[in-house]
Amino acid sequence: MRQENLRNIAIIAHVDHGKTTLVDKLLRATDAFRANQQVEERVLDSNDQERERGITILAKNISIEYKDVKINVIDTPGHADFGGEVERVLKMADGALLLVDAFEGPMPQTRFVLRHAIDAGLSIMIVVNKIDRPGADPEKAYNDCLDLMADLGATDEQLEFAMEHVVYASAMNGFARLDPSDDNDNMYPLLDMIVEDMPAPEVDPDGPLAMQCVTIDHSEYVGRIGIGRIYSGTIHDGDKILVVKNDGSRANATVKQLFTFDYLGRKECGEVGAGDIAAVVGIDRTDIGDVYTDPENPVELEPIEIDPPTLAIVFEASTSPLVGREGDIVGARQLKERLMTEAENNVTMRIEELPDKSGVEVAGRGILHLSVLMESMRREGFEFQVGRPRVLIKKDENGNRIEPIEQAVVECPGEYSGKVIELFGNASGTMTNMEQGETICHIEFKIPTRGIMGLKNRILNVTHGEGVFYHTFLEYGPFAGELGVRNNGAMISMTTEKAVAYALGTLQERGQLFVGPGDECYEGMLVGERSKPGDMVVNIARTKQLGNQRSSTADIAVQLTPPRTFTLEEALEYIMDDELVEVTPKSVRMRKRILNAIERKKANVRAGLVNK
């Protein structure tokens, strides 16, 4: 039977198309806040990094009440690196709001999330957002969504439902309309459509208990909290239940606390019925995919598969000459303990200590996925160093090497399209589609994940900063052979001193600098990029020789170009195999793995990279 007083819906969209802002307005429309309550914008982006980056990283559950119906809303990440969250949480939903920007239309990561929603059999309602944006074309965005659904293999029922259920909205201004030309100024048309037309959960309230854990929360006080949807029966506080793991093993457990979602928080309750989403405390070492069921009449549910990681990186204790100046936690033991704690809470990452105990390898879905962990750690006071990200290569049934392939999309002015295509060609990319608009050219590629590294900066350079670049994991494909590496050499400091303006003035004629006057540098640190191939060891502390005669140019100041700064992700994409990124709470520095120039040359000779 259907639970008519419940609706479970997910909100799916490309990053930055307005999901979290829309949820804000739905909360306000249903009086979730007191009249005098001070509420931040994008209230669901509670994590500091989410607010700074403007993206959702963790899927979150809230519930709202409207016309005596409880609507459980799941806000999903839009970025493909956090797709592990999306795949699982869609299992809790019966329907989805597909949110698209009226100007941009569906984007690559819309395709990624939508494919999972279609595969899960969800009823999909289209919400065309930002209809008040200059240049918006709501009708084209709506038609593009239908075309995309058809491309991804949506059923006739899903396509019919989407054609009949479309809402035009501006989440920023708090209105939703059935027709873009209406003058309605509230969110009620969207809420009415959800309550009246979204399917209620179809469950067996009188059957044996069946609940599947799809998200893990963690509390310092009670440990892991399993969150999931109840497919049949009712779960009570204090129940004795059977926990069936993904591998088939079984264990008995007792429910110590039980919560449901209530607006922005959780509400402790004595029982939760079929169709609702519950948070269960008391299941030791509960994991994604665990089924909580009746010990006397166990129910079997499909196991949950999590997409494997595609990129790995090694964390090591910092060996920099400046270690300990900016961070409080620098030891290898503390670094290992912190990463093993992350392995407990973050099931989408694979975290293992290296056999020689020299570091810990962390595998994730992409550079952003890994850099979010690094950013969290540096904010906690950790100082550490990481190597170049390594793509995880597998073997197919025939023993051939296969590697992750990405779908990449570039939008740029038409005059730069040739240079963009050339860049992708050099990185083993293959163009799959090209559409020339009035001013903007839309180009799609298939490219190995290895080829993506460092590509964003090169695209911005050749498009004079006007290119927009997105990519998302597509599939595993044949190994593309060796790819080109960074063409330009690095400038490497020969001493551990502060950089001097006089020295930098002469060095900037040789390439681009990464440091400014007064910056702390050390032997082996990358201080710039040459305009030619081959590394160059430089003296960044050289001062002007002073004689006893006056110079006609004594009063001319050194004119320095501002140094190039790197974010954590940019530094990870920039470095080579023999280089490291040093991460501290205040700085991101790049360095050679072997700091001493003579030792570096000996190592290169032993490796056969240079002649003796």
Side-chain angles (χ1 to χ4, degrees), residues 452-491:
I452 289 284
M453 290 185 207
L455 200 57
K456 186 175 183 180
N457 281 327
R458 297 205 289 275
I459 289 170
L460 286 174
N461 286 339
V462 300
T463 61
H464 295 207
E466 294 184 57
V468 180
F469 174 49
Y470 297 106
H471 59 94
T472 180
F473 173 72
L474 184 64
E475 61 193 1
Y476 266 84
F479 184 70
E482 292 304 319
L483 295 186
V485 291
R486 190 174 76 213
N487 295 324
N488 295 3
M491 295 186 199

Side-chain angles (χ1 to χ4, degrees), residues 272-430:
V272 183
D276 208 347
I277 295 171
V280 180
V281 175
I283 317 299
D284 286 340
R285 301 195 60 78
T286 190
D287 230 324
I288 299 295
D290 286 1
V291 177
Y292 307 157
T293 186
D294 188 335
E296 295 174 10
N297 301 299
V299 177
E300 290 190 3
L301 294 174
E302 287 271 322
I304 293 179
E305 297 292 330
I306 299 172
D307 270 8
T310 57
L311 214 58
I313 206 163
V314 174
F315 286 65
E316 303 168 10
S318 178
T319 55
S320 158
L322 305 181
V323 65
R325 293 200 190 179
E326 297 176 356
D328 305 321
I329 312 170
V330 298
R333 181 179 57 80
Q334 293 113 312
L335 181 69
K336 178 187 165 186
E337 285 172 0
R338 169 66 179 83
L339 290 169
M340 291 308 164
T341 306
E342 186 70 22
E344 283 281 309
N345 308 333
N346 192 336
V347 293
T348 56
M349 283 184 171
R350 195 181 70 228
I351 300 176
E352 298 166 347
E353 189 171 14
L354 294 176
D356 62 358
K357 311 287 187 192
S358 62
V360 179
E361 184 173 76
V362 179
R365 294 285 283 272
I367 281 190
L368 182 61
H369 192 199
L370 295 165
S371 73
V372 165
L373 169 61
M374 293 178 208
E375 186 65 40
S376 300
M377 289 173 63
R378 68 188 288 216
R379 290 174 188 219
E380 293 164 20
F382 280 88
E383 229 178 89
F384 54 93
Q385 62 193 30
V386 292
R388 190 184 190 202
R390 175 177 66 84
V391 168
L392 298 175
I393 293 169
K394 301 199 285 191
K395 293 198 173 178
D396 61 12
E397 307 84 42
N398 304 320
N400 298 320
R401 291 201 292 173
I402 54 174
E403 65 175 329
I405 305 292
E406 308 257 340
Q407 182 194 21
V409 172
V410 178
E411 294 192 334
C412 64
E415 66 260 33
Y416 305 130
S417 59
K419 292 180 178 177
V420 169
I421 293 167
E422 184 183 344
L423 273 183
F424 275 87
N426 293 337
S428 286
T430 308

Side-chain angles (χ1 to χ4, degrees), residues 574-590:
Y574 182 83
I575 60 171
M576 305 299 290
D577 290 333
D578 66 334
E579 294 165 357
L580 298 169
V581 175
E582 178 195 349
V583 183
T584 77
K586 295 179 182 173
S587 312
V588 174
R589 304 185 187 99
M590 293 176 291

